[in-house]
Amino acid sequence: MPDEPEHRSPALAELRRRLDEARARDRLDQGQLATRAGLSRGTVSKALSPRGDVPSVNTVTALARVLRLPVGELLELRRDAEEETSGRWGDPSGPGRPIGQWEPHDLEVHPAGPRTNTPGVGGVRALPAYVRRPHDQALADAVAAAAAGRSGIVVLVGTSSTGKTRACWQAVQPLAEKGWRLWHPFDPTRAEAALEDLHRVGPRTVVWLNEAQHYLGDREFGERIAAAVHHLLIDEQRGPVLVLGTLWPEYAHDYTALPAPVQGRSPQSGTGTAGRPHGECPRHVRHGGPGRRGGPGRPRRRPAGRRPHARPGRRPDHAGSGRGT
């Protein structure tokens, strides 16, 4: 039928052709292929059916390996199929807007040097030339993985005015060319905006959590935001997505420290305070975490001039893993 995904996507048709020909070559039925790939028979059936949606990254990878097909080529076909079936600019109903429509200063990229009113092209304030540093490679790797269909999170840790937000802005430019959106939850408050719409984030979206302590450290919503981000990263139907955040070192220390042991439970048992998985925001983030140091939102003094460093986070495999940064 004309409205079936395969009819709208030559790349999806080619992906299925290669998979099915290799299955026939190896004389495997769908049940045998499912068993060898560690997938359900339903998943394999949908992956090979002209009526099925674009298969997930994990499904394509597993099938390609069992059938001895080039994984990279098939993932590229899958990425093209997603663009063809959903439109270049993705789902316009989700939060955010195309990256190219953002002005970097609206994303809290600080002007370098004395503030001037000299506009750049089209009246937008021009940014100075960018000098790459070692952490830019970690960001570039995460962006490349996201472009290839793998969701991920990176938090750039550094003191004030060390270029964390600018580095994130430079890193996402390749995604702008691929039609990705960017969402910066900000209004009415950062935490409220994030909690309200994180469940609506769709594929090919950058979630921009600049000054991530305002999200994760919120006393009322912090744990729920952390759980929502975790769910977003492990939900294959909503990926790929890329979560980018920035933090000062003292907040990063608070959020990544193991919680104090609970009586009768060791720190290695996989749960923290009140039995919470380490993959979620620790309880102390909400109850007197960063706020211990001079009150809510007031960090302690920091030595100036330290360079930022990236802490890439792998997509958690299950609810009890994946520390977030």
Side-chain angles (χ1 to χ4, degrees):
M1 295 176 64
D3 58 347
E4 290 174 358
E6 194 167 287
H7 286 278
R8 293 184 277 120
S9 172
L12 182 55
E14 175 64 13
L15 173 63
R16 289 202 168 111
R17 184 190 67 79
R18 293 193 189 185
L19 289 172
D20 207 38
E21 285 186 356
R23 179 192 63 79
R25 177 201 65 206
D26 290 351
R27 299 181 179 180
L28 298 173
D29 61 31
Q30 292 188 7
Q32 293 169 326
L33 178 57
T35 300
R36 294 192 184 186
L39 302 169
S40 71
R41 181 162 182 167
T43 297
V44 171
S45 177
K46 290 178 182 177
L48 299 178
S49 170
R51 295 180 176 84
D53 292 327
V54 179
S56 71
V57 171
N58 287 347
T59 297
V60 172
T61 301
L63 293 176
R65 287 174 177 166
V66 168
L67 296 171
R68 304 185 305 282
L69 295 171
V71 176
E73 290 183 16
L74 265 62
L75 287 177
E76 186 174 351
L77 280 171
R78 180 198 174 276
R79 184 171 65 249
D80 292 343
E82 275 203 327
E83 292 181 358
E84 290 169 353
T85 56
S86 62
R88 178 169 174 76
W89 300 108
D91 181 5
S93 66
R97 60 179 186 262
I99 294 172
Q101 294 182 13
W102 282 96
E103 203 275 314
H105 296 97
D106 291 339
L107 296 173
E108 302 174 291
V109 176
H110 299 308
R115 183 180 177 88
T116 67
N117 293 320
T118 304
V121 177
V124 176
R125 282 179 291 161
L127 293 173
Y130 187 71
V131 178
R132 287 177 59 87
R133 291 175 286 175
H135 59 264
D136 290 296
Q137 186 57 53
L139 284 167
D141 291 344
V143 166
R150 300 180 183 86
S151 294
I153 177 171
V154 177
V155 174
L156 206 58
V157 176
T159 52
S160 180
S161 303
T162 49
K164 302 183 296 297
T165 313
R166 173 68 189 278
C168 291
W169 172 250
Q170 293 298 137
V172 301
Q173 296 314 300
L175 298 179
E177 301 172 1
K178 298 179 179 295
W180 278 56
R181 300 166 68 83
L182 186 148
W183 176 50
H184 179 30
F186 195 84
D187 182 61
T189 68
R190 297 175 196 245
E192 288 177 282
L195 191 60
E196 178 72 19
D197 279 334
L198 267 167
H199 73 282
R200 296 180 54 234
V201 172
R204 294 178 298 283
T205 300
V206 175
V207 178
W208 191 266
L209 302 183
N210 192 47
E211 302 286 357
Q213 71 273 7
H214 295 304
Y215 302 94
L216 303 178
D218 184 87
R219 292 176 182 273
E220 185 175 0
F221 302 124
E223 288 190 72
R224 293 170 63 189
I225 291 171
V229 170
H230 175 94
H231 183 72
L232 172 64
L233 290 170
I234 64 174
D235 188 346
E236 292 184 358
Q237 299 304 314
R238 300 168 65 193
V241 298
L242 178 62
V243 180
L244 292 181
T246 66
L247 273 178
W248 287 350
E250 54 266 37
Y251 292 125
H253 177 269
D254 278 345
Y255 300 161
T256 57
L258 289 174
V262 180
Q263 186 174 1
R265 188 186 300 273
S266 69
Q268 288 77 28
S269 63
T271 57
T273 304
R276 295 182 184 275
H278 288 154
E280 293 182 355
C281 193
R283 191 176 182 84
H284 72 265
V285 168
R286 191 174 65 169
H287 300 292
R292 292 196 308 264
R293 295 169 175 164
R298 294 180 56 197
R300 66 182 178 182
R301 284 188 185 277
R302 315 165 313 286
R306 290 183 181 174
R307 293 182 176 180
H309 60 281
R311 292 189 176 184
R314 295 177 180 174
R315 192 189 69 183
D317 292 322
H318 52 78
S321 67
R323 289 290 304 276
T325 60

